[in-house]
């Protein structure tokens, strides 16, 4: 029995009795009373041990917490930028930018250019090509263009013809005679384009399309000088372009002279120096402008070596008109100075 009750060596028999809880010291060896004393003493001993361990553990935990707080304080004091933000710190107010009203543009999808913006990207050559193709596809638009476009001046037309002339001149091969057949074959295409341009522009400056004789004469004078500069080829057949150009310009001179003679008795022809210019052009062309010269002689009173004097062959009215316009009227009249 005793071996069963005191099998645990940690519980000595004399420790099972608590003298403070015992009612009498004489009953300490009473086994009937020892059992409850054993139970109470065992529980108290266990509670004492547990409380001591708990106090040790709590002390270690408080020491560990204190060490951890010290390390956190040191880290925060040495690195302020890495310290966590506290809830008591006031948050900065966001800076609201000034509201500026901007125009909204629809750029969410691509779109073609408008006609004014598209025309701004075209140069003069592209513009002419575009307008030419539109007029070819729509003849009714061509008439509108002719009516709306400003009339070309003599200077602008001569500038266009000079570009054709420059293209012809640049087409001549280097090191070859300009009148040779080889040179003609090289420049035949720009030569034909140049002659065609002359034929197309000339009717625009002729009556009745052009009502001012001076404008027509200025154009014919400039174009005739350009025809003089065309090369003379060794082969006779190659010169047909230049000969045809002389024939066309001679007829144009004759037409302008006839229409100019109807206005003011040919004043612009006689006293604008056109008679001398036409004579010079006829000589430079080798007599190719003889038709224009004869038209000038028949249209106005023009004295020459083979013609009688206008005062002798014309009537009194024509003679007086000729004298007035030439400034010789009254030179043959003698003025007598008599006495009163």
């Amino acid at each position: 029995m005793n071996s069963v009750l005191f099998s645990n060596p940690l519980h000595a028999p004399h420790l099972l009795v608590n003298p403070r809880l015992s009612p009498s010291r004489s009953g300490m060896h009473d086994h009937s009373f020892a059992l409850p004393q054993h139970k109470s003493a065992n529980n108290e001993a266990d509670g004492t041990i547990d409380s001591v361990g708990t106090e040790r553990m709590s002390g270690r935990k408080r020491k560990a917490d204190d060490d951890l707080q010290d390390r956190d304080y040191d880290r925060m004091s040495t690195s302020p930028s890495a310290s966590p933000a506290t809830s008591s710190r006031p948050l900065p107010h966001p800076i609201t930018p000034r509201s500026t009203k901007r125009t909204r543009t629809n750029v969410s999808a691509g779109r073609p250019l408008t006609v004014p913006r598209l025309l701004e990207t075209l140069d003069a050559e592209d513009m002419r090509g575009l307008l030419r193709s539109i007029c070819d596809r729509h003849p009714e638009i061509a008439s509108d263009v002719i009516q709306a476009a400003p009339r070309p001046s003599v200077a602008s037309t001569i500038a266009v013809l000079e570009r054709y002339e420059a293209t012809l001149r640049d087409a001549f091969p280097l090191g070859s005679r300009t009148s040779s057949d080889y040179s003609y074959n090289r420049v035949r295409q720009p030569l034909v384009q140049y002659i065609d341009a002359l034929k197309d522009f000339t009717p625009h400056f002729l009556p009745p399309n052009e009502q001012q004789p001076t404008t027509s004469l200025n154009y014919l004078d400039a174009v005739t000088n350009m025809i003089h500069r065309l090369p003379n080829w060794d082969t006779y057949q190659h010169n047909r372009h230049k000969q045809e150009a002389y024939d066309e310009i001679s007829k144009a001179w004759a037409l302008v002279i006839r229409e100019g003679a109807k206005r003011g008795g040919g004043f612009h022809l006689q006293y604008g120096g056109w008679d001398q210019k036409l004579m010079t052009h006829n000589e430079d062309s080798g007599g190719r402008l003889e038709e224009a010269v004869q038209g000038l002689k028949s249209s106005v009173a023009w004295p020459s070596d083979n013609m009688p004097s206008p005062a002798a062959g014309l009537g009194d009215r024509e003679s007086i008109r000729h004298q007035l316009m030439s400034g010789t009227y009254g030179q043959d009249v003698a003025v007598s100075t008599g006495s009163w």
Side-chain angles (χ1 to χ4, degrees):
M1 179 65 69
N2 294 331
S3 62
V4 175
L5 293 175
F6 305 102
S7 60
N8 192 351
L10 297 177
H11 296 85
H14 63 279
L15 298 176
L16 295 177
V17 181
N18 190 349
R20 292 178 297 178
L21 300 177
S22 174
S24 62
R25 293 183 177 268
S26 60
M28 186 179 357
H29 298 283
D30 190 2
H31 294 288
S32 61
F33 186 76
L35 289 177
Q37 294 295 331
H38 167 72
K39 183 177 180 181
S40 177
N42 190 14
N43 292 335
E44 186 177 356
D46 293 339
T48 305
I49 296 172
D50 294 338
S51 62
V52 173
T54 303
E55 291 179 356
R56 290 181 179 179
M57 293 298 296
S58 62
R60 293 177 181 177
K61 184 176 180 181
R62 286 194 299 270
K63 184 177 181 181
D65 293 339
D66 295 338
D67 294 340
L68 182 60
Q69 291 179 0
D70 294 339
R71 287 196 299 269
D72 292 339
Y73 178 79
D74 295 339
R75 185 173 63 253
M76 294 173 61
S77 61
T78 55
S79 179
S81 60
S83 62
T86 59
S87 59
S88 61
R89 179 181 299 176
L91 296 177
H93 296 284
I95 300 175
T96 57
R98 291 184 300 175
S99 60
T100 58
K101 187 176 181 181
R102 299 180 62 183
T103 304
R104 297 180 61 184
T105 57
N106 186 14
V107 294
S108 59
R111 63 179 183 273
L113 290 173
T114 59
V115 174
R117 293 303 182 190
L118 179 61
L119 295 179
E120 288 179 353
T121 62
L122 303 178
D123 56 6
E125 188 64 27
D126 295 338
M127 188 78 72
R128 285 192 291 265
L130 176 62
L131 188 59
R132 189 184 303 113
S133 62
I134 293 176
C135 293
D136 293 340
R137 293 195 302 266
H138 305 281
E140 66 278 4
I141 299 180
S143 60
D144 296 338
V145 172
I146 293 175
Q147 295 177 1
R151 291 177 58 86
S153 62
V154 176
S156 62
T157 305
I158 296 301
V160 174
L161 295 176
E162 287 177 349
R163 288 199 294 268
Y164 280 101
E165 185 181 17
T167 303
L168 172 63
R169 185 170 54 252
D170 296 338
F172 277 93
L174 298 176
S176 300
R177 291 185 301 108
T178 57
S179 60
S180 64
D181 294 342
Y182 174 73
S183 298
Y184 173 79
N185 294 329
R186 290 287 300 272
V187 302
R188 183 177 181 276
Q189 182 177 0
L191 175 62
V192 173
Q193 294 176 353
Y194 182 27
I195 298 298
D196 291 342
L198 288 172
K199 294 179 179 180
D200 293 339
F201 279 112
T202 298
H204 174 75
F205 294 95
L206 300 180
N209 188 62
E210 179 57 55
Q211 298 295 328
Q212 298 296 329
T214 304
T215 303
S216 300
L217 294 173
N218 287 327
Y219 171 80
L220 294 177
D221 182 36
V223 169
T224 305
N225 286 323
M226 299 179 73
I227 297 175
H228 293 331
R229 295 194 293 265
L230 289 173
N232 296 316
W233 307 103
D234 296 340
T235 303
Y236 178 79
Q237 291 79 4
H238 297 165
N239 292 321
R240 69 181 185 275
H241 303 290
K242 187 173 183 178
Q243 302 303 329
E244 292 175 358
Y246 273 132
D247 294 339
E248 294 291 335
I249 208 67
S250 178
K251 294 177 181 179
W253 275 98
L255 177 61
V256 173
I257 288 171
R258 288 195 302 268
E259 294 297 328
K262 298 177 183 180
R263 300 180 181 183
F267 176 79
H268 297 285
L269 301 176
Q270 294 181 4
Y271 301 101
W274 296 110
D275 51 353
Q276 297 297 327
K277 292 180 181 180
L278 183 58
M279 290 293 297
T280 303
H281 287 317
N282 188 36
E283 294 176 359
D284 294 340
S285 64
R288 296 291 180 178
L289 302 181
E290 189 64 27
E291 181 181 357
V293 173
Q294 293 299 326
L296 182 62
K297 291 179 179 181
S298 61
S299 298
V300 296
W302 188 19
S304 62
D305 296 339
N306 299 327
M307 296 177 61
S309 175
L314 299 178
D316 294 340
R317 180 179 300 177
E318 294 294 333
S319 176
I320 294 173
R321 183 179 67 84
H322 182 269
Q323 293 178 14
L324 289 173
M325 302 186 72
S326 60
T328 60
Y329 180 78
Q331 292 182 358
D332 297 336
V333 178
V335 179
S336 60
T337 57
S339 58
W340 292 95

